[in-house]
Amino acid sequence: MDGPITRFLEADHRAIDELLSGSRRGTDVDLEVFDRFRERLLRHIGWEEKILLPAAAEARGEPLEAAKQLRRDHGRLAALLTRRPTLGSMAEVASILAAHNEIEEGEAGVYAACESLLADRADELVARMRAAPKVPLAPFYEGPIPLPKR
């Protein structure tokens, strides 16, 4: 189903992917572009965690089946984004995002389920996501981080 939620969030996926690609400069990382990527991805995660998934759970009477995996992915991504990026960590982020986006997009994806469950609230939910503030970025953490399992 191609409704306002799907169009909005899938367009954001494309913008996030472009920022991640744009932050690679040969064997270096453009930290300015990476910070824009990091803020955009963390904001997107916030939309899903604070607005979309709770609304779907409320409408359905229980969380979506995929919500647990999405939350695991969100936690892993957020943990990776706390560290200064390397080409290796960026490749890991890209890999997680590719699999994650497959769960959310398409006819059987989370966004299509949300369109069905939340059709009467879709425009209001998209407006809330648009109005959400930018995410303040902390400096990179240089110590060890135990990453959640996938």
Side-chain angles (χ1 to χ4, degrees):
M1 175 181 265
D2 184 28
I5 294 168
T6 299
R7 285 191 302 272
F8 177 71
L9 292 172
E10 286 185 4
D12 202 55
H13 282 178
R14 302 298 82 77
I16 288 166
D17 291 344
E18 286 177 23
L19 284 168
L20 180 58
S21 291
S23 65
R24 291 185 198 106
R25 296 282 185 244
T27 59
D28 291 324
V29 178
D30 182 326
L31 290 178
E32 184 179 317
V33 177
F34 188 82
D35 271 349
R36 289 198 315 265
F37 159 77
R38 187 164 72 125
E39 189 281 326
R40 185 83 175 248
L41 179 55
L42 290 170
R43 188 174 185 209
H44 185 98
I45 289 170
W47 293 338
E48 291 178 357
E49 292 287 343
K50 295 176 183 175
I51 298 170
L52 187 65
L53 293 176
E58 181 183 334
R60 190 170 183 260
E62 64 182 351
L64 296 170
E65 289 86 6
K68 189 174 181 178
Q69 179 62 50
L70 295 180
R71 288 197 166 106
R72 269 194 304 269
D73 290 350
H74 291 161
R76 186 158 179 81
L77 288 163
L80 285 164
L81 295 178
T82 64
R83 301 292 303 237
R84 183 172 302 281
T86 65
L87 294 180
S89 68
M90 290 169 63
E92 185 173 357
V93 166
S95 175
I96 293 167
L97 285 175
H100 185 85
N101 291 354
E102 283 185 20
I103 295 169
E104 294 176 333
E105 297 180 1
E107 295 288 323
V110 167
Y111 297 160
C114 289
E115 294 287 359
S116 294
L117 288 166
L118 304 165
D120 59 330
R121 298 182 54 204
D123 290 331
E124 175 253 326
L125 292 168
V126 170
R128 284 180 55 203
M129 288 186 266
R130 285 186 194 283
K134 287 189 170 193
V135 175
L137 295 178
F140 293 115
Y141 173 70
E142 302 298 340
I145 297 178
L147 294 176
K149 292 192 185 311
R150 195 147 192 244

